[in-house]
Structures are given as C-alpha cells and as structure tokens.
Amino acid sequence: MARTLEAAALVVAAALCLSSLLGFAYGHEKFTVIGKVYCDTCRVDFETKVSYGLPDSKVLLECHNRTSGALTLSAEAVTDKSGEYTLAIEGDHEEEICELQVVESSDPECSTLLEGAVHNARVALTNKNGVVQAVRFANPLAFTKKVSLANCPQVLMEMGVLPPGLEF
C-alpha cells in the first residue's frame, strides 16, 4: 500500500512538472523594453557629462512585418523625471522589425533632431534569437539643442574625442 501511494505521488509530481514545462514553452511571451531619451547638448549624437535626461518626452515603438511592411504593433511611452521609459509588450514578434523613435520633446530648447544621426533604436522582441531575458534595453535616443553649449569643446577634449585646435 505504501509503495502504491509513493508511486502515485511520483506520477502526480511528474505530471505537474511536465505541465509547468509545457506552459513555459507555449506560454504567452511578455517583454519589457527599457530606454532613455536625453538632450544632446553638444550635438555629437552620444551622451556626454553635460547631457541630461528629458522628462515627459514621448517615444513610439512600432513593429512591421518583415516581408509586407504592414504595421503589426504600435505602443507609446512617456519618459519619467530622469528621461527613462518602460514599455510592456505582449506576444512574440520574431517575424517583425521593431523600432523605437522619439516623437516629442518636453524641452522646447532641446527639441530638434540632429541631421544625419540615427533617430531610432531597434529591439528584438522574441525569445527565438538566443536572448532569454524578458527585459530588452534600447539604445538611448536624443533630441539636440539648436546650438551647442559653450563648454562642449572642453568636455569633448576631456573625453579624448576632439583633437586639439579643432574649432567647435
């Protein structure tokens, strides 16, 4: 009797383990996209120590089918006080190209897009590409000031990215 009870418990435990594995394998995928919008005060298309996060700015995530180009997902987020945003996305988007772009700056003094710069960040929203974590980090996106700050040459020289004697 005791052996029968042990065997039954073992079968039940195995069934529970198997069902939880099946639920994990075929469950609905959920992703969290985290990123930042900043003000590029030196107009160099990367963050410096004089850059700052843009609170209350808007970003847009769009996914398009790889072959037809049809829009399959659109989601918008607003940045927090440090310029960071979080988007909760459901479903697998393996056959889609998903990109974030800035929509609106909260700072009228820092609201232009740098000509020739990349204004979007691509994110992979699938578990079928070798990335198993549900959190995806997007590259930072930027608006720029119309004119660089006066101390930008010094800041860039400190970073080692501006040759001496080059006027800004």
Side-chain angles (χ1 to χ4, degrees), residues 41-43 48 50 148-157 162 168:
T41 56
C42 290
R43 299 179 54 85
T48 64
V50 291
S148 306
L149 297 178
N151 64 336
C152 284
Q154 179 184 350
V155 169
L156 295 172
M157 289 261 300
L162 181 67
F168 203 72

Side-chain angles (χ1 to χ4, degrees), residues 75-90:
E76 197 172 89
V78 176
T79 58
D80 64 14
K81 65 182 178 180
S82 64
E84 295 182 0
Y85 61 88
T86 302
L87 278 163
I89 305 297
E90 292 198 26

Side-chain angles (χ1 to χ4, degrees), residues 38-155:
Y38 70 97
C39 181
D40 179 5
T41 56
C42 290
R43 299 179 54 85
V44 290
D45 199 26
F46 57 85
E47 289 183 85
T48 64
K49 70 179 185 180
V50 291
S51 300
Y52 57 89
L54 287 171
D56 301 318
S57 295
K58 292 181 186 174
V59 295
L60 176 67
L61 171 72
E62 288 187 337
C63 295
H64 295 268
N65 182 282
R66 287 183 189 272
T67 49
S68 71
L71 180 67
T72 57
L73 173 73
S74 182
E76 197 172 89
V78 176
T79 58
D80 64 14
K81 65 182 178 180
S82 64
E84 295 182 0
Y85 61 88
T86 302
L87 278 163
I89 305 297
E90 292 198 26
D92 181 82
H93 300 275
E94 179 184 20
E95 299 301 322
E96 298 154 49
I97 295 172
C98 298
E99 294 180 323
L100 289 139
Q101 60 187 343
V102 287
V103 175
E104 182 180 311
S105 173
S106 60
D107 183 351
E109 296 297 314
C110 189
S111 59
T112 60
L113 297 175
L114 187 61
E115 190 175 326
V118 175
H119 303 293
N120 59 7
R122 192 172 282 191
V123 290
L125 297 176
T126 181
N127 287 330
K128 299 175 181 125
N129 62 354
V131 180
V132 294
Q133 292 84 5
V135 177
R136 304 301 161 94
F137 295 95
N139 287 334
L141 298 167
F143 285 101
T144 63
K145 291 198 171 271
K146 290 178 177 49
V147 178
S148 306
L149 297 178
N151 64 336
C152 284
Q154 179 184 350
V155 169

